[in-house]
Amino acid sequence: MSCALLLLLTSLALVMGTGTAVEIQRPRGVPQSKRQFYEENKPFTCLDGSSTIPFDQVNDDYCDCRDGSDEPGTAACPNGSFHCTNAGFRPAFIPSSRINDGICDCCDTTDEYNSGATCQNTCREMGRKERESLQIMAEITKEGFLLKQQLIHEAKRGQEDKQGKLTELQGSKKGLEGKMEALRTVKKTAEDPEKEAKERHLKSWEEQKELIRMEKDKTRMAEAFLELDDDADGYVSVAELQSHLELDPDSDGSLTETETQGLLGGAGKVDTSTFETVWSGIKDKYLSEVSTYVMKTYVIQSFPYPKGSPGSGRSNEVSIIRFENANVCTLLSASQSLICGPEFIWICRNLEKEIGFDFGPSAEFAYLYSQCYELSTSEYIYRLCPFNRVSQKPKFGGSETNLGLWGQWAGPEENLYSVMKYDHGQGCWQGPNRSTTVKLTCGKETVVTSTSEPSRCEYLMEFTTPAVCQEPASLDEVLHGHTEL
């Protein structure tokens, strides 16, 4: 701290303590920190170094320096500034154009020394009110900081609980995955014999069906031979077969003797042993004279499955294997539903998200997660859901408007967690998407204190929370800090 500033604070302390100002001699409008540049009886050098003038030209109501530093106590220089000592309150600078303009800008009235304006020195009263305000702020900061420590403790315990639960769920999942793999092995082991048994029975059934088909075909062939052997001499002749026009090879409507003989393999007649070869060539076209073919075909196709065949129910061997495998499948399905189900996945993802989320250096903002806070104005109800979204709803009916989704922490580098940014909200008519900046200030309570729309579709929200309260300094340090400003 500079010697000049110490002198100023000493002066302020004396004023605050005794009510009597100690005037430190220096040109009007010059702050104590620049007193050394204004030495009487020595030439004055402009603070920008542009020129040097006799000291009696300082505050002579004529601007000699380009930076206006030679006229700190007059309105001669348009770019000059006047220092208000404001003993009992905070020093301040005002533009030199306000000197002697008839309006009291300095609480100690020193800016109106030659205007004739009637001003009252209000510095002591303003200082008293500021000290009271600082006292209240200090108490709020102190209580808020204590609450913040509790929030940090609770957040740490909550994070540990969530991590423990996630670890437990992941362990359970890993265990179930191991059991599922074992069940898959058991299932495969059980399914292989079942598959083999099923294939054996299918093969057996196909063989039985083929035997039935062949037997039916022989029966039909025998019936056809008897039908064709009109004279019952034990032979089917060309003349006897020629009456069946459906067997005409060229489909010209007539069955010639030559064509018929060709059907009989070139012979004039065939007996039962030779007819078997003939039958293979005509059976697909041959129509029974007694119209029994359709019925017989229906009977063949509808013939019931023999006992133990696939169509009549599984054999005892397959059924037993199926019964045993059903229990394995049930356990496997239940395990898979548990660890692959939407509820399990949602719980794990939500825990992972909370654990990995940036809730501040010590997770002090974690208590805001999944919470919402509202502010009601004359027209709207504003709703802030930290780390989620901001919305606005008309107070007397109407749809809700999305003012932004959680984006990021957006405070300055030295105080990153003092500002929240929500963007990509609902689009404005012929304008950008709505966005909201949330400024966080220290407070004992968690509450939205104000909302505004500084620019079109860009909202500003003030939000108090103990999570931003810093460790308070002593009241004396706060007062001295404000005095130095």
Side-chain angles (χ1 to χ4, degrees), residues 18 30 94 157 284 352-353 403 454:
T18 65
V30 175
I94 63 171
R157 186 173 59 189
D284 293 333
E352 289 172 348
K353 180 181 177 182
L403 301 185

Side-chain angles (χ1 to χ4, degrees), residues 10-57:
T10 302
S11 174
L12 179 61
L14 289 171
V15 170
M16 293 167 62
T18 65
T20 304
V22 177
E23 181 64 30
I24 300 174
Q25 295 299 317
R26 58 184 184 273
R28 191 188 304 275
V30 175
Q32 180 63 25
S33 60
K34 295 181 180 179
R35 173 67 182 85
Q36 67 269 27
F37 301 115
Y38 296 85
E39 295 187 34
E40 293 185 40
N41 304 320
K42 287 186 179 181
F44 173 74
T45 300
C46 302
L47 297 185
D48 64 356
S50 58
S51 63
T52 300
I53 60 174
F55 191 81
D56 60 6
Q57 292 182 15

Side-chain angles (χ1 to χ4, degrees), residues 89 124-135:
F89 188 49
R124 285 178 56 83
E125 180 62 19
M126 292 175 68
R128 182 187 66 78
K129 289 181 178 179
E130 183 171 71
R131 288 192 298 277
E132 289 177 356
S133 177
L134 291 174
Q135 177 70 49

Side-chain angles (χ1 to χ4, degrees), residues 276-325:
E276 186 173 349
T277 303
V278 175
W279 175 247
S280 63
I282 68 171
K283 63 182 179 180
D284 293 333
K285 291 184 177 182
Y286 178 76
L287 295 177
S288 173
E289 296 176 0
V290 295
S291 302
T292 59
Y293 173 70
V294 175
M295 180 59 69
K296 290 178 181 178
T297 302
Y298 174 79
V299 171
I300 292 172
Q301 293 179 344
S302 304
F303 192 83
Y305 293 120
K307 190 174 182 180
S309 66
S312 63
R314 304 293 182 215
S315 67
N316 290 338
E317 180 184 359
V318 177
S319 298
I320 291 171
I321 294 172
R322 281 267 171 151
F323 177 78
E324 292 174 349
N325 199 26

Side-chain angles (χ1 to χ4, degrees), residues 197-206 208-209 304-319:
K198 181 179 178 181
E199 288 175 351
R200 286 197 304 272
H201 283 274
L202 285 173
K203 182 179 179 182
S204 175
W205 169 234
E206 290 299 327
Q208 291 181 53
K209 286 200 299 182
Y305 293 120
K307 190 174 182 180
S309 66
S312 63
R314 304 293 182 215
S315 67
N316 290 338
E317 180 184 359
V318 177
S319 298

Side-chain angles (χ1 to χ4, degrees), residues 241-254:
L241 187 60
Q242 199 171 0
S243 63
H244 283 263
L245 298 178
E246 75 274 10
L247 301 177
D248 178 17
D250 56 9
S251 302
D252 62 354
S254 65

